[in-house]
Amino acid sequence: MAPIDSDDNMTARTDEDLPAGRRRAARYVVPVAVMGVAAATIGLVPALADSGDPDLPKVTAEQLIDKIAKSDVQQLSGTVKITTDLGLPDLGGLESGLMSGMSGGPGSGGDEDGSAADPSAKLTELVTGTHTLRVAADGPDRQKLSVLENAAEYSLIHDGKDVWGYDSESNEVYHSTVSGSAEQPEKEVPATPKDFADQALKAVDDTTSVTVDGTAQVAGRDAYRLVIKPKQSGSTVGAVTVAVDAKTGTPLKFTLTPASGGAAVVDAGFTKVSFAKPDASTFDFTPPKGAKVTEGDELAKAPEHGRKAEGDLAKELDGLKEKDGLRETDGLKVIGEGWNSIATFDTGGQGGLPTASAGGDLGGFLGSFGDQVKGDFGSGTVFNTRLVNALITDDGKVYAGAVTKDALVKAADAAK
């Protein structure tokens, strides 16, 4: 990890202290890591519910990071409130369906044999609006997350080698198993909020400022505020703030604010939390009578089921190789460094945005939400959110990152 800004200019562990694979991942995908934390936070980590500034002993950024690293909380339960505002256009709810469909997973609309209870589709609903969740964890082998809706509830339960998803509205169940040892099972369900803070800290390098900015009270617990900011200009990320429990070192809140100002892009935090051991029955699950049960492992083995495991992305990113200033894997290249990293790839298509094979001009529809730009690269369309922007050129190339529109155009010009 690179130098960390703190009141007494103390320096944290250097990059060389990390395993080689983690060093590569930290260098390559700072914006990706930030988005990963945001996405993961939607799952289990909380939104800030500040109330007062407790008087706590002074700590440096290095000491607070070490406190997070040494935290060994295995058991917790509580209620989480999350608000996500990416600034997506209002499509009357269509945006969640589009994001589910683009996942290509069961239940996403791209697989008629899928399940409405598949977490890969269901949890995409959390990318917009405000949601209330109940969470519980009892070690690495037992976690539960429930999304509370007006007249329904969706639950995701990990109990040993079994992962269950249940959607009460459709009365559908999704079941899969995880492989690996009991100590480190290969699973999609996060174990503790600490996992997400670890991901944020992997993004810290010499392009990053990390400081302690006072204290807060979250869910009735005293906490320190760790603030992570890009030093570079051109990033759409303003700051990432993590409220760290003063006693246990557990992250209690995660807030990501954009450089443009205004409301947080992600504001997720505990409103209630307990570190007592949850009752064992919390993680029990039996499919209700009459429920449709879909076996995820069988879908994954089907020849037509082409969705990659989520772990494959991490493996590919870790396998990026540096060549002529670019890091690449399977056609994906990453230009630049730190918070200004831009992912680029060539779709192989001409004419820019795709057109629908039926039902009108999809490109024209999508283009109405973008900004037309020109440069040495030619012309294209930039799609904006409050965090991630993407440029699709008329010759089929894509440039995307947590950077400004001007930075995308500059990258496209330089690559020409």
Side-chain angles (χ1 to χ4, degrees), residues 57-100:
K58 186 176 179 179
V59 297
T60 65
E62 182 186 25
Q63 290 171 332
L64 190 53
I65 288 173
D66 284 341
K67 189 175 186 68
I68 296 172
K70 293 175 182 178
S71 175
D72 191 31
V73 171
Q74 297 287 317
Q75 299 159 341
L76 65 82
S77 59
T79 302
V80 172
K81 181 179 180 181
I82 174 164
T83 298
T84 309
D85 181 9
L86 291 172
L88 296 173
D90 184 3
L91 302 178
L94 180 61
E95 60 271 25
S96 294
L98 285 173
M99 296 191 74
S100 296

Side-chain angles (χ1 to χ4, degrees), residues 99-134:
M99 296 191 74
S100 296
M102 287 189 291
S103 73
S108 64
D111 186 340
E112 63 183 7
D113 294 325
S115 169
D118 182 353
S120 67
K122 193 66 179 178
L123 294 183
T124 58
E125 296 177 7
L126 300 179
V127 301
T128 59
T130 298
H131 303 270
T132 300
L133 303 86
R134 284 199 301 258

